């Protein structure tokens, strides 16, 4: 039986040469060439033979080989059609992998989960193309895809942003969105020499374990996220001014001030100082005012 072999740089180079493959910068192609990192990703994702796994951007199939070994079934979505014949070759020893040649942002993942996993929660594992990290993650969370966990390689700075709370410069709309839907945990820091070609930035593997129920109760989720965006769009301004100046909100100054005070917050506070709980409380306060 063939074991995953592509994590060894020697075989990666062989495959790239055999197919005369040219890396495409615009697709964020940095292939993993470190078996320890690959094993760490698979272990952190806690994949079992019951699992259906979605891989985003399989590249030449390096991580896909490991996923196919560990999971019941894998679907791998790759945008670059020059990689499709390569994947056919490198994955020929595993019969539980489907390669889909498409843009992940255009794939109906909910439908895929329904067809392949009877609508049960799926695991997402990927060494993500960094240029679309945020839209991919937000798409998975917001489009009601049944998700168990997402284990992904991202830019180190982005991983930090997902994990931090108020009082740090990295705290922002992404931190709050991720922490509303999932429990983030950075499981490894990965230096550039683990990839081919080497990226200019450091990377990290982060696991996002989806909550069954969000940790805060919000009557109007969309409103809460509008408040969050408005607060961080002008993060040096006070919360009052951030909300007042927002194009997405239409509350007058008096309503805003009343809501902030009713939450027990000072009018001088900046949005960047609020926790997820406080944003939820503020959103609920505005919902009440809209309803009254
Ligand atoms: N998984 C491989 C590995 O770890 O070696 C490759 C990871 S590489 C960082 C990102 C992969 O995502 C590339 O294969 C790239 O072509 C693919 N990709 C880029 N944009 C994509 C998109 N919109 N939809 C699907 N795949 C995409």
């Amino acid at each position: 039986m063939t074991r995953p072999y592509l994590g060894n740089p020697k075989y990666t180079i062989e495959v790239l040469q055999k197919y005369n493959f040219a890396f495409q910068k615009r697709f964020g192609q940095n292939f993993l060439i470190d078996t320890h990192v690959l094993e760490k990703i698979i272990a952190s994702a806690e994949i079992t033979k019951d699992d259906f796994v979605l891989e985003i951007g399989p590249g030449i199939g390096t991580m896909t080989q490991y996923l196919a070994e560990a999971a019941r079934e894998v679907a791998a979505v790759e945008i670059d059609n020059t990689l499709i014949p390569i994947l056919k070759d490198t994955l020929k020893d595993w019969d539980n992998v489907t390669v889909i040649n498409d843009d992940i942002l255009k794939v109906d993942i909910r439908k895929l989960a329904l067809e392949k996993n009877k609508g049960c929660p799926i695991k997402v594992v990927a060494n993500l193309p960094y240029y679309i990290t945020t839209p991919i993650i937000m798409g998975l969370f917001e489009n009601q895809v049944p998700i168990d966990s997402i284990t992904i390689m991202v830019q180190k700075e982005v991983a930090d942003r997902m994990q931090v709370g108020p009082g740090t410069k990295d705290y922002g709309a992404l931190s709050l969105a991720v922490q509303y839907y999932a429990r983030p945990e950075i499981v490894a820091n990965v230096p550039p020499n683990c990839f081919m070609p080497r990226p200019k930035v450091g990377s990290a593997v982060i696991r996002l374990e989806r909550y069954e129920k969000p940790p805060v109760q919000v009557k109007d989720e969309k409103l809460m996220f509008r408040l969050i965006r408005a607060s961080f769009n002008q993060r040096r301004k006070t919360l009052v001014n951030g909300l007042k100046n927002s194009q997405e909100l239409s509350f007058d100054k008096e309503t805003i001030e009343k809501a902030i005070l009713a939450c027990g917050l000072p009018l001088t506070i900046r949005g960047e100082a609020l926790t997820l709980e406080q944003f939820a409380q503020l959103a609920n306060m505005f919902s009440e005012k809209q309803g009254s």
Side-chain angles (χ1 to χ4, degrees), residues 26-32 38 55-64 77-80 83 102-105 126-132 136 195:
R26 71 189 166 115
F27 289 145
Q29 293 176 336
N30 300 94
F31 298 164
L32 266 168
L38 285 153
E55 186 190 8
I56 299 162
I60 60 168
T62 310
M63 194 152 72
T64 327
V77 179
E78 176 54 62
I79 197 168
D80 183 353
L83 286 166
D102 207 341
D103 177 348
I104 189 64
L105 298 177
N127 169 15
L128 283 185
Y130 294 171
Y131 73 106
I132 43 169
I136 290 176
F195 302 86

